[in-house]
Amino acid sequence: MSEDIADLLGALSHRFRSTLRAALLRDTHDIPPFQAKMVAIIGRHPGIPASALIEQTGRDKAQIARVLKELDERGLIDRRPNPDDRRSQSLFLTPVGETLFATLRTLRAEVGTQLLAGLSADERQQLASLLRRLV
Protein backbone atom coordinates (compact mmCIF):
# COMPACT_ATOMS: atom_id res chain seq x y z
CA MET A 1 0.00 0.00 0.00
CA SER A 2 2.75 2.50 0.88
CA GLU A 3 4.37 1.85 -2.51
CA ASP A 4 1.12 2.80 -4.23
CA ILE A 5 0.93 6.02 -2.23
CA ALA A 6 4.56 6.82 -2.98
CA ASP A 7 3.95 6.18 -6.68
CA LEU A 8 0.85 8.38 -6.64
CA LEU A 9 2.65 11.19 -4.83
CA GLY A 10 5.51 10.93 -7.32
CA ALA A 11 3.10 11.01 -10.27
CA LEU A 12 1.25 14.03 -8.87
CA SER A 13 4.53 15.83 -8.21
CA HIS A 14 5.73 15.09 -11.73
CA ARG A 15 2.41 16.30 -13.21
CA PHE A 16 2.57 19.51 -11.18
CA ARG A 17 6.19 20.20 -12.17
CA SER A 18 5.65 19.48 -15.87
CA THR A 19 2.48 21.59 -16.02
CA LEU A 20 4.22 24.43 -14.18
CA ARG A 21 7.29 24.13 -16.42
CA ALA A 22 5.10 24.53 -19.53
CA ALA A 23 3.37 27.56 -17.99
CA LEU A 24 6.72 29.10 -17.04
CA LEU A 25 8.13 28.74 -20.51
CA ARG A 26 4.93 30.11 -22.05
CA ASP A 27 4.27 33.03 -19.70
CA THR A 28 7.57 34.20 -18.21
CA HIS A 29 9.86 35.07 -21.07
CA ASP A 30 11.41 31.61 -21.30
CA ILE A 31 12.88 31.54 -17.81
CA PRO A 32 14.18 28.05 -17.08
CA PRO A 33 12.48 26.23 -14.19
CA PHE A 34 15.51 26.27 -11.89
CA GLN A 35 15.99 30.02 -12.36
CA ALA A 36 12.29 30.45 -11.56
CA LYS A 37 12.75 28.35 -8.42
CA MET A 38 15.66 30.55 -7.32
CA VAL A 39 13.61 33.72 -7.91
CA ALA A 40 10.81 32.21 -5.81
CA ILE A 41 13.18 31.32 -2.96
CA ILE A 42 14.77 34.77 -2.96
CA GLY A 43 11.32 36.38 -3.21
CA ARG A 44 10.07 34.45 -0.19
CA HIS A 45 13.29 35.08 1.78
CA PRO A 46 14.62 38.57 0.94
CA GLY A 47 18.22 38.95 2.08
CA ILE A 48 18.88 35.22 2.02
CA PRO A 49 22.61 34.47 1.92
CA ALA A 50 23.79 32.92 -1.32
CA SER A 51 25.22 30.03 0.69
CA ALA A 52 21.75 29.13 2.02
CA LEU A 53 20.58 28.40 -1.52
CA ILE A 54 22.79 25.32 -1.56
CA GLU A 55 20.86 23.93 1.41
CA GLN A 56 17.47 25.04 0.05
CA THR A 57 17.96 23.49 -3.39
CA GLY A 58 20.37 20.60 -2.87
CA ARG A 59 22.52 21.90 -5.72
CA ASP A 60 26.27 22.39 -5.55
CA LYS A 61 28.09 25.69 -5.15
CA ALA A 62 29.10 25.91 -8.84
CA GLN A 63 25.51 25.43 -10.03
CA ILE A 64 24.21 28.06 -7.63
CA ALA A 65 26.95 30.52 -8.66
CA ARG A 66 26.13 29.98 -12.34
CA VAL A 67 22.39 30.51 -11.85
CA LEU A 68 22.94 33.60 -9.69
CA LYS A 69 25.15 35.03 -12.44
CA GLU A 70 22.39 34.37 -14.98
CA LEU A 71 19.75 35.98 -12.74
CA ASP A 72 22.04 38.96 -12.19
CA GLU A 73 22.60 39.32 -15.96
CA ARG A 74 18.82 39.25 -16.49
CA GLY A 75 18.47 42.08 -13.95
CA LEU A 76 16.36 39.94 -11.60
CA ILE A 77 18.50 39.97 -8.45
CA ASP A 78 20.53 42.42 -6.45
CA ARG A 79 23.56 41.13 -4.54
CA ARG A 80 24.57 43.05 -1.44
CA PRO A 81 27.28 42.42 1.13
CA ASN A 82 25.98 40.28 3.97
CA PRO A 83 26.22 42.37 7.15
CA ASP A 84 26.71 39.21 9.24
CA ASP A 85 29.44 37.64 7.08
CA ARG A 86 31.72 39.70 4.84
CA ARG A 87 32.56 36.62 2.75
CA SER A 88 28.90 36.16 1.83
CA GLN A 89 26.30 38.05 -0.16
CA SER A 90 22.67 38.73 0.68
CA LEU A 91 20.26 38.34 -2.23
CA PHE A 92 17.25 40.49 -3.04
CA LEU A 93 14.95 40.77 -6.02
CA THR A 94 15.10 43.86 -8.19
CA PRO A 95 11.81 45.51 -9.20
CA VAL A 96 11.89 43.37 -12.38
CA GLY A 97 12.51 40.30 -10.21
CA GLU A 98 9.61 41.23 -7.93
CA THR A 99 7.31 41.45 -10.95
CA LEU A 100 8.47 38.03 -12.13
CA PHE A 101 8.02 36.64 -8.61
CA ALA A 102 4.40 37.86 -8.57
CA THR A 103 3.84 36.18 -11.94
CA LEU A 104 5.39 32.96 -10.64
CA ARG A 105 3.13 32.95 -7.59
CA THR A 106 0.08 33.44 -9.79
CA LEU A 107 1.15 30.63 -12.14
CA ARG A 108 1.75 28.22 -9.25
CA ALA A 109 -1.69 29.00 -7.84
CA GLU A 110 -3.32 28.53 -11.27
CA VAL A 111 -1.58 25.19 -11.84
CA GLY A 112 -2.53 24.02 -8.34
CA THR A 113 -6.14 25.02 -8.90
CA GLN A 114 -6.14 23.22 -12.25
CA LEU A 115 -4.75 20.02 -10.75
CA LEU A 116 -7.20 20.05 -7.84
CA ALA A 117 -10.26 21.06 -9.86
CA GLY A 118 -11.86 17.62 -9.43
CA LEU A 119 -11.88 17.90 -5.64
CA SER A 120 -14.48 19.62 -3.50
CA ALA A 121 -13.44 22.40 -1.11
CA ASP A 122 -13.64 19.93 1.81
CA GLU A 123 -11.49 17.40 -0.05
CA ARG A 124 -8.88 20.06 -0.86
CA GLN A 125 -8.80 21.10 2.80
CA GLN A 126 -8.45 17.47 3.90
CA LEU A 127 -5.67 16.84 1.36
CA ALA A 128 -3.80 19.95 2.52
CA SER A 129 -4.09 18.83 6.13
CA LEU A 130 -2.81 15.34 5.34
CA LEU A 131 0.10 16.67 3.28
CA ARG A 132 1.11 19.06 6.08
CA ARG A 133 1.21 16.11 8.48
CA LEU A 134 3.37 14.11 6.08
CA VAL A 135 5.76 16.99 5.51
Side-chain angles (χ1 to χ4, degrees):
M1 181 67 157
S2 64
E3 289 180 17
D4 292 339
I5 292 172
D7 289 344
L8 290 169
L9 286 171
L12 180 61
S13 177
H14 175 72
R15 185 170 170 208
F16 178 79
R17 284 191 318 268
S18 63
T19 304
L20 183 59
R21 184 177 300 118
L24 287 172
L25 293 174
R26 180 188 69 237
D27 295 345
T28 58
H29 311 290
D30 296 327
I31 188 165
F34 189 61
Q35 285 187 18
K37 181 176 182 172
M38 297 284 278
V39 167
I41 291 170
I42 296 166
R44 285 191 305 268
H45 306 284
I48 188 170
S51 58
L53 294 173
I54 295 167
E55 295 169 30
Q56 290 262 341
T57 64
R59 303 288 177 102
D60 66 42
K61 188 176 182 177
Q63 288 174 309
I64 297 299
R66 186 184 79 250
V67 172
L68 290 177
K69 181 179 182 242
E70 292 165 354
L71 293 175
D72 197 13
E73 289 170 353
R74 283 177 165 239
L76 298 172
I77 63 168
D78 182 26
R79 303 180 202 216
R80 300 177 195 162
N82 184 336
D84 299 326
D85 180 358
R86 287 190 222 170
R87 299 168 293 158
S88 176
Q89 295 176 330
S90 296
L91 303 170
F92 297 87
L93 295 179
T94 63
V96 173
E98 289 286 351
T99 300
L100 175 60
F101 178 52
T103 300
L104 294 173
R105 288 174 48 177
T106 300
L107 283 175
R108 284 180 63 90
E110 288 172 1
V111 169
T113 298
Q114 176 187 347
L115 291 178
L116 300 174
L119 300 178
S120 70
D122 287 342
E123 290 170 325
R124 287 192 304 271
Q125 189 174 31
Q126 184 179 17
L127 177 61
S129 176
L130 291 169
L131 289 172
R132 275 189 216 97
R133 283 180 48 196
L134 289 173
V135 170

